[in-house]
Structures are given as structure tokens and as C-alpha cells.
């Protein structure tokens, strides 16, 4: 079958790989109808998560049609239209029982790497390097889905492929940030990053009753999108004073909840950008935590900061003093999507959650390397590139 492969840092190719086969009684094979890029893929493409091997198939967000099910699969049958959570979890272990699905003890079949780096291994993720299980990714004609009853969700008839696709990752990730970040009715919420994840976090905050939601980025097209489709306020950090504006818009206190949806390749206009770039390139720190630092500084005393952006390992100049002295709650997680996807699909069916505007560029899988180039370099207003392997 055809697939998009990682060939080295910033090097991709489309070529033939073996078809997936059933390995387990709980597996399903899905014919991929749509699969989409994510900011997380950029960290792999750029070599910031150094556990990819030449020829690995990329992609973890997808929707498709079930073409084969194992004898233990109860919820799905051949022909079902399903969206699949980007994280692999078993649904039965200690963590899954507590709905902390991305921490699943059985989802990552290759736990040694992350045990060495972080102490314990999180669950697995499709197409997300050998550190997260070495699963073949979804930028392909077919994909094997382990624990299919747990990871695949039937899409309600009234929800289009374009909309449901984002229930795989961006929508549940954003929802988790607002939910576990503790957004309550009446809160002021600031979201750093107006990519797919930040936009979904901002929308979740609105739906959870926040009084004001402010999304921060430098790309005008992304900010306009947020105003138009999410009903939130915006801040352009290149032309506006983020700290001053956030104070002004929160009655002088600072936002109650700050959600960081930028991650380890964050950007800034100040001198710290150069500082972090140099240290990252020299491998003196692995991640550039610029937006995380800002979220911590600008959060009100006693507020909550949630890190949705992906971080790999070590950061520098981290304001731990502000976390401690301001009494902040600091959390982060890979998405526990299984906990939210059914509810999000219902909201999509009711029209409360629209996502299809994120799919700015749709193309056949053959054009995926060009799609990644547009997405990475934010060319032509690209917010997400969607690939259709069957086209
Ligand atoms: N926790 C999870 O489970 C999970 C799931 C999906 C993605 N992610 C992570 O979320 C992050 C965002 O993903 P995405 O797909 O939206 O990425 P994206 O690249 O489309 O968007 C990131 C946005 O952040 C903006 N940005 C950069 N520096 C900034 C700063 N200092 N302040 C404000 N905005 C800034 C960029 O301009 C860009 O618009 C990535 O790190 C990704 O790996 C995490
Ligand atoms: Zn993703
Ligand atoms: Zn589990």
C-alpha cells in the first residue's frame, strides 16, 4: 500500500510499504479516508523527538472505514465509519480505569525508551516514533488499530468526515486542556497558540462557560478564524502587549486559567527566542518553553496553567519560583481522548463544535510532502493539511 514515510530530519517521501495485518484478536484494520497533520508531527519532522527510523510511517489523526475485525472486537463491524483516538490504550489497566487513557500501561509496546527518559512510559501513539510504541502511522491507505473497541468510535450519521476527523486528536486535546485546567463558569481563560489544538481548547473553554476567552498568536489568519468560528477574543503577540492586555481584560487580576497550546518549538519576538534557539541547537536544552513561561508569568495568583503543547525533555530558565510563590496549579498531559470523544461527536452533531474550518488544505496522499511543507512553514494560510489516500 501507499504511505508517507519519514526519511530523515525534514525529509519525507511517499512510497510502498507492506499492508498491515491482524496481530491480535482485538485488532481492526481501517481503510483511511482522511488523515491530518498535527503540530506534534512537526516535532518528529524536525528531529526534536529523536526516535524515528527511516521508513517509519507518520500520522496519528484519522478517520476511515472498518475493513476487518478480530474475533474479540464487539463494538465494530466491517463497513462502520469510525474516528480513532490518536493515543493507543487498552481500556482495562489501572490508568484506563481512572480515565487517564494516555497513561495506559499496555498501549506502548516499547516502554524502555521513555522509562529511561521520564521514569515511566506513557501509552502509545500511532506514527509517533519508537518511543511511543513504534506503531505504523495513519498517513497510509490502511492502518491496524489495536484494542479497536477502545480506540475506534462510530461517527454519527449527521456528522461529516471533515468535522469528525478532528475528534481524533485536536478536539479532545483542546477539551482536556480546558477540563483538566479547571475552567469554570465566569472564568477568564487565555490560550497560547491558535493552531488546531489552541482553537479547540478555546472553544472548549467557551462551552464550559468561561466569561472571556482570549487566544494568542501572531498569524492574523489564525486569529481571524478564532474570532469567526469560535466566538473568542484575540491577541497578537507581535503587535500587542500580551501582559498588559491580559490584565486589562481580567479586571487587573490575570487570567484564571492559562492553556498553553504551542509546545517545544515556540517562538517569540524577544531576545529569549535567540537564547532558546541557540541552546536547543547545541542540545543544551531539548525544548524551547517560551509560551509556557509566559503562561506562568501572566496567570493570576492561585490560577491554573495547563500544558497541552508537547515537551520532550529538559528546558532552561523555567520560572519555578512563580509557580510556587503564586500558588499555581501546573499540569500537562497527552490527550485522554477516549474520555471525551463520544461527547464531542454529540456536540459536533448538534453543531456546537465546528472543526472543518481547520482543514484549510485537502489533497491526495501523493502530495503529502508538499502538504507538510505548507503546514510547517504556515504557507498559504495553512492551518491543517488533510490527506485522502483513496483519491
Ligand atoms: N497534549 C496532547 O495530547 C497534544 C495533542 C496534539 C498536539 N499537541 C501539541 O500541541 C501543540 C500545538 O499543536 P498544533 O497542532 O495546534 O500546532 P500548530 O503548529 O498548528 O500551532 C502552534 C501555534 O502556536 C503559535 N505560537 C508559537 N509561539 C507562540 C507564542 N510564544 N505565543 C503564542 N503562540 C505561539 C504558532 O504561531 C502556531 O500558530 C504542539 O506542541 C503539539 O505537539 C499536544
Ligand atoms: Zn496530534
Ligand atoms: Zn490501559
Amino acid at each position: 500500500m501507499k504511505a508517507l514515510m519519514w526519511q530523515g530530519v525534514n525529509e519525507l517521501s511517499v512510497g510502498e510499504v507492506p499492508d498491515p495485518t491482524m496481530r491480535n484478536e482485538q485488532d481492526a484494520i481501517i481503510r483511511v479516508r482522511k488523515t491530518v497533520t498535527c503540530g506534534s508531527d512537526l516535532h518528529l519532522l524536525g528531529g526534536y523527538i529523536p526516535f524515528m527510523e527511516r521508513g517509519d510511517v507518520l500520522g496519528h489523526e484519522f478517520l476511515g472505514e472498518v475493513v476487518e475485525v478480530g474475533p474479540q472486537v464487539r463494538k465494530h463491524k466491517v463497513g462502520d465509519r469510525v474516528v480513532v483516538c490518536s493515543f493507543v490504550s487498552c481500556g482495562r489497566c489501572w490508568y484506563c480505569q481512572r480515565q487517564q487513557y494516555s497513561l495506559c500501561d499496555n498501549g506502548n509496546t516499547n516502554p524502555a525508551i521513555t522509562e529511561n527518559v521520564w521514569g515511566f512510559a506513557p501509552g502509545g501513539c500511532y506514527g509517533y516514533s519508537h518511543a511511543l510504541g513504534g506503531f505504523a502511522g495513519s498517513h497510509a491507505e490502511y492502518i491496524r488499530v489495536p484494542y479497536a473497541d477502545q480506540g475506534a468510535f462510530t461517527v454519527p450519521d449527521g456528522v461529516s468526515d471533515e468535522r469528525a476527523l478532528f475528534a481524533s486528536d485536536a478536539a479532545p486535546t483542546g477539551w482536556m486542556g480546558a477540563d483538566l485546567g479547571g475552567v469554570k463558569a465566569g472564568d477568564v481563560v487565555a490560550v497560547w497558540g491558535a493552531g488546531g489544538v489552541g482553537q479547540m481548547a478555546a472553544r472548549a473553554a467557551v462551552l464550559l462557560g468561561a466569561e472571556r476567552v482570549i487566544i494568542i498568536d501572531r498569524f492574523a489568519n489564525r486569529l481571524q478564524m478564532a474570532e469567526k468560528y469560535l466566538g473568542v477574543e484575540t491577541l497578537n503577540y507581535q503587535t500587542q502587549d500580551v501582559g498588559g492586555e491580559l490584565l486589562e481584560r481580567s479586571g487587573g487580576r490575570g487570567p484564571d486559567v492559562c492553556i498553553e497550546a504551542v509546545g517545544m518549538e515556540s517562538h517569540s519576538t524577544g531576545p529569549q527566542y535567540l537564547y532558546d534557539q541557540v541552546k536547543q541547537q547545541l542540545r543544551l536544552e531539548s525544548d524551547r518553553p517560551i509560551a509556557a513561561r509566559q503562561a506562568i508569568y501572566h496567570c493570576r495568583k492561585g490560577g491554573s496553567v495547563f500544558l497541552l503543547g508537547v515537551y520532550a525533555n529538559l528546558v532552561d530558565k523555567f520560572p519555578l519560583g512563580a509557580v510556587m510563590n503564586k500558588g499555581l496549579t501546573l499540569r500537562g498531559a497527552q490527550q485522554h481522548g477516549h474520555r471525551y470523544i463520544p461527547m464531542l461527536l454529540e456536540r459536533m452533531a448538534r453543531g456546537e463544535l465546528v472543526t472543518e474550518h481547520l482543514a484549510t488544505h485537502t489533497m491526495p496522499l501523493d502530495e503529502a510532502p508538499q502538504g507538510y511543507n505548507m503546514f510547517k512553514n504556515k504557507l498559504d494560510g495553512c492551518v491543517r493539511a488533510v490527506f485522502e489516500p483513496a483519491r
Side-chain angles (χ1 to χ4, degrees):
M1 67 168 181
K2 207 188 303 176
L4 179 79
M5 289 172 277
W6 188 92
Q7 296 292 5
V9 172
N10 291 319
E11 233 186 291
L12 298 171
S13 72
V14 177
E16 287 294 315
V17 300
D19 283 357
T21 49
M22 304 284 286
R23 289 199 206 155
N24 189 300
E25 299 200 328
Q26 300 166 50
D27 287 355
I29 305 284
I30 311 291
R31 180 189 292 125
V32 178
R33 280 190 4 195
K34 285 183 186 282
T35 175
V36 57
T37 58
C38 171
S40 300
D41 297 313
L42 298 181
H43 310 322
L44 298 174
L45 190 60
Y48 294 101
I49 296 178
F51 299 106
M52 293 295 283
E53 289 172 14
R54 193 176 285 271
D56 283 347
V57 178
L58 272 175
H60 57 269
E61 308 190 5
F62 59 104
L63 172 144
E65 195 183 307
V66 177
V67 292
E68 201 178 339
V69 290
Q72 293 293 326
V73 175
R74 305 268 182 261
K75 287 193 200 153
H76 299 293
K77 58 181 189 319
V78 171
D80 281 3
R81 183 171 66 123
V82 294
V83 61
V84 178
C85 183
S86 60
F87 259 77
V88 178
S89 67
C90 74
R92 300 184 189 101
C93 72
W94 194 90
Y95 290 99
C96 286
Q97 282 173 20
R98 285 157 182 78
Q99 295 195 311
Q100 295 173 340
Y101 299 107
S102 72
L103 307 181
C104 174
D105 267 338
N106 300 313
N108 187 342
T109 48
N110 194 15
I113 297 175
T114 46
E115 280 173 0
N116 277 330
V117 182
W118 299 324
F120 296 95
C125 181
Y126 300 98
Y128 215 75
S129 89
H130 295 269
L132 288 190
F135 292 98
S138 61
H139 296 340
E141 289 177 275
Y142 297 91
I143 184 167
R144 179 178 77 96
V145 170
Y147 307 113
D149 277 343
Q150 168 69 8
F153 297 84
T154 300
V155 179
D157 281 344
V159 184
S160 67
D161 283 6
E162 288 72 22
R163 184 172 290 185
L165 172 62
F166 294 96
S168 180
D169 184 296
T173 300
W175 196 279
M176 179 185 73
D179 178 31
L180 301 187
V183 172
K184 301 183 303 301
D187 277 355
V188 176
V189 178
V191 179
W192 273 258
V197 173
Q199 289 197 31
M200 291 295 106
R203 184 65 188 155
V206 171
L207 293 171
L208 287 168
E211 189 177 308
R212 294 187 87 160
V213 179
I214 304 145
I215 195 164
I216 306 161
D217 207 301
R218 75 179 187 285
F219 289 107
N221 66 310
R222 294 183 172 214
L223 294 175
Q224 281 156 8
M225 209 176 233
E227 277 170 6
K228 182 168 173 193
Y229 297 104
L230 317 173
V232 301
E233 299 173 36
T234 60
L235 249 181
N236 186 325
Y237 69 84
Q238 233 164 10
T239 56
Q240 288 171 288
D241 166 19
V242 171
E245 284 289 333
L246 289 178
L247 271 184
E248 186 77 20
R249 299 185 200 185
S250 58
R253 255 202 317 266
D256 302 289
V257 179
C258 292
I259 302 175
E260 187 271 5
V262 177
M264 60 198 272
E265 294 179 65
S266 58
H267 165 268
S268 98
T269 47
Q272 59 174 325
Y273 187 50
L274 181 66
Y275 174 89
D276 282 309
Q277 281 271 19
V278 170
K279 291 206 77 162
Q280 195 176 39
Q281 295 311 321
L282 294 175
R283 303 288 182 255
L284 293 172
E285 65 176 342
S286 55
D287 309 359
R288 301 198 296 267
I290 298 165
R293 289 187 195 117
Q294 291 174 349
I296 290 168
Y297 278 126
H298 296 306
C299 191
R300 75 155 163 81
K301 293 183 281 183
S304 150
V305 175
F306 201 95
L307 303 179
L308 288 176
V310 162
Y311 290 91
N313 198 7
L314 301 175
V315 299
D316 197 5
K317 302 274 182 289
F318 191 73
L320 206 50
V323 174
M324 189 272 161
N325 288 287
K326 292 204 301 181
L328 300 183
T329 300
L330 175 64
R331 291 185 74 172
Q334 297 281 9
Q335 66 138 339
H336 303 310
H338 313 76
R339 173 168 173 175
Y340 303 113
I341 291 172
M343 173 272 292
L344 293 171
L345 287 170
E346 280 172 28
R347 287 183 189 267
M348 286 176 178
R350 290 199 299 268
E352 289 171 19
L353 184 65
V354 297
T355 59
E356 53 274 24
H357 63 280
L358 300 173
T360 49
H361 296 75
T362 300
M363 60 198 77
L365 187 61
D366 286 322
E367 291 169 24
Q370 294 91 305
Y372 263 98
N373 182 40
M374 292 174 84
F375 174 56
K376 178 182 166 82
N377 297 305
K378 321 270 188 276
L379 305 177
D380 193 35
C382 185
V383 176
R384 283 278 194 270
V386 175
F387 311 130
E388 294 178 332
R391 217 162 88 177

